[in-house]
Amino acid sequence: MEEKTEKKRKSITRMLLEEGLVTKEQLLEAMERRKKTGKSISRILIDMGLISETKLTQLLAEQLGVDFVDLSSYRVDAIAVALLDPKIAWRYLAVPIGFDGDTLIVAMADPTNIFALDDVKMATGYPIRPVAATKPDIEVTIRRYHPEVAGSDRAEIIERAEAGEGSEEELAEVLGIAVEDAPMVRFINSVIGEAVGMGASDIHFDPQEKEIVVRYRVDGVLHDMKSLPIRTLPALTSRVKIMSDLNIAEKRIPQDGHYERVVGEKQIDFRVAVLPTVFGEKIVLRILDKSSILLQLSDLGYDGETLEKYEASFRKPNGAILVTGPTGSGKSTTLYATLNAINDETKNITTVEDPVEYRLPGINQMQVNPKAGLQFSNALRSILRTSPDVIMVGEIRDLDTAQIAIESALTGHLVFSTLHTNDAPGAIPRLTEMGIEPFLTASGINCVLAQRLARRLCDCKEPYEPSVELLERLGFPREDGEEVVLYKPKEGGCGRCSGTGYKGRIALVEIMLVSPAIEKLTIEEASTAEIKNQAVEEGMKTMRQDGWRKASAGVTSIEEVLRVVV
């Protein structure tokens, strides 16, 4: 056995010499270090910085006649990952990553480990085809799909499992899993780990006639990720309902719930919606990452002149600030970031929301409860009796709420709220339509923001020169004879962006300050178009113009601007 290992080591070192990756002198030095440290030649060469772990694994794969897989860019199948118990995955540094027909593809740090191959085959019930991958990549993949066992106790967990110490119940408690060998539990955990790792905002389990399609919404766009046989739907819905404390027996009406868990190092709140459809119950898990409430306005895309105008408005002691846009345009995130900017011990800040999505330290937050008769309007009346300096109303939905919010802004309070309109100038006529007296709107509002969320280009973006005809047709700003260089997503993307070419989102913003001229138009009940023309004359940049500016800077693409802005 020792002779066979030595032969293999010589073969690897010969390959390193033949490819010019190391010199004979360096190899001799590594051998000397081996005598002192007892480490393998390969590990010493890596520690000396002469060869990367990736290159070494590629050579090992070539020598053994197996494929090498770069897990940082490989689309791992979460269904495959869920087939193997995480204890076994950690023990052998082996992780299933996909299927080749009826064969399970397993990435391994040591594809020659016969005991590992036998155990994985027995545990999964599938024939195994091993492929080589680097040890760090395998560890990252296991942590990503099994966050419940990742952490500082990993070595202790493996040692106890290998030594057979402790009861199964003790090990289950240490590992943080309730059902030891339930594939559906591991599947859901791996889906959640993958979705959070990709930065998804929600997970959809859509039942179809013959399958369940699993989709993630990443940067505002849904992506089909995998599918399950339709026969697994009862187990899937039961598990999610148990997690979110819903009625398992009820399948005829929609249900809403939530639960919290730590994924990796993040505290995540999941809002769960179950909806009966003709093929079964559809499940949506909305992912609320509590770390996102610490964002600064600059992180959201507020910069330069836009940020200056907005900051001048929310630093005033009173007045109303409205953020407009459709559902999913980031209005609440912008308001949370604004409250973070002005929050200090000298201010009494109170919010009324439906629901309270994030808990903000140092801020009093109320949640409406229609069943108990607590609506936005009467909650707002109660808030005013507590001497607030700043009030945030989750949404202006009716005349009562709008009336109290505007009157509060006129009586010394700084009021933030949201409204559903297509652009900033449209908020003024909308309030008039709701029944607010135009003179109150004109006096009470400081500014109106409108925004949309566009996807950010990943670092793998590619430059190109668009045609003059295209720029003229789009109204893209350019000087005569100026060469415009824009950026587009790289075809196929990279591992960081999961092949999409985009990573993260940025706000395209327009901000309209209520000037004396706009106050006059408001009192005269002017149209949205007239108010918009006046605001543009006074220097307002529209959302599309903000989009062109960010496309010029290489932050997003013109296709994204056209997708989200009319």
Side-chain angles (χ1 to χ4, degrees), residues 293-298 300 302 307 310-311 313-315 321 323 330-344 347 349 360 363 390 392 414-416 449 451:
I293 63 169
L294 303 175
L295 287 174
Q296 304 295 315
L297 286 165
S298 56
L300 303 176
Y302 285 76
L307 182 58
Y310 184 38
E311 192 160 2
S313 295
F314 71 67
R315 293 295 180 188
I321 294 173
V323 183
K331 302 185 297 295
S332 296
T333 305
T334 294
L335 289 181
Y336 281 135
T338 307
L339 292 180
N340 281 333
I342 64 174
N343 185 19
D344 61 48
K347 294 185 179 69
I349 303 175
L360 300 172
I363 292 177
V390 180
M392 187 187 94
L414 185 60
V415 180
F416 295 92
L449 290 144
Q451 69 177 46

Side-chain angles (χ1 to χ4, degrees), residues 374-429:
L374 183 62
Q375 302 282 4
F376 276 117
S377 53
N378 51 12
L380 197 47
R381 287 191 184 95
S382 300
I383 288 171
L384 290 171
R385 290 194 286 270
T386 64
S387 184
D389 299 298
V390 180
I391 302 169
M392 187 187 94
V393 185
E395 184 184 341
I396 292 179
R397 297 177 179 172
D398 52 46
L399 173 60
D400 231 10
T401 307
Q403 189 87 33
I404 301 168
I406 297 298
E407 288 176 356
S408 301
L410 289 167
T411 54
H413 304 92
L414 185 60
V415 180
F416 295 92
S417 192
T418 68
L419 197 64
H420 286 282
T421 62
N422 287 329
D423 57 11
I428 305 294

Side-chain angles (χ1 to χ4, degrees), residues 303 457 461 476 485-487 546-556:
D303 54 14
L457 284 167
K461 62 190 176 185
F476 196 95
V485 177
L486 298 177
Y487 290 83
D546 190 44
W548 294 154
R549 181 176 66 82
K550 284 165 181 168
S552 297
V555 177
T556 189

Side-chain angles (χ1 to χ4, degrees), residues 48 104 131 136 185 188 202 216 241 313 323 369 378 474 539:
M48 291 170 67
L104 187 64
V131 296
V185 173
I188 292 173
D202 43 62
Y216 304 161
K241 286 179 179 179
S313 295
V323 183
N369 188 345
N378 51 12
L474 296 176

Side-chain angles (χ1 to χ4, degrees), residues 87 100 179 215 324 334 353 360 378 388 410 425 463 479 537 562:
K87 294 198 306 295
D100 182 5
V179 183
R215 303 194 290 172
T324 72
T334 294
E353 307 167 55
L360 300 172
N378 51 12
L410 289 167
E479 301 292 334
E537 280 183 26
L562 295 172

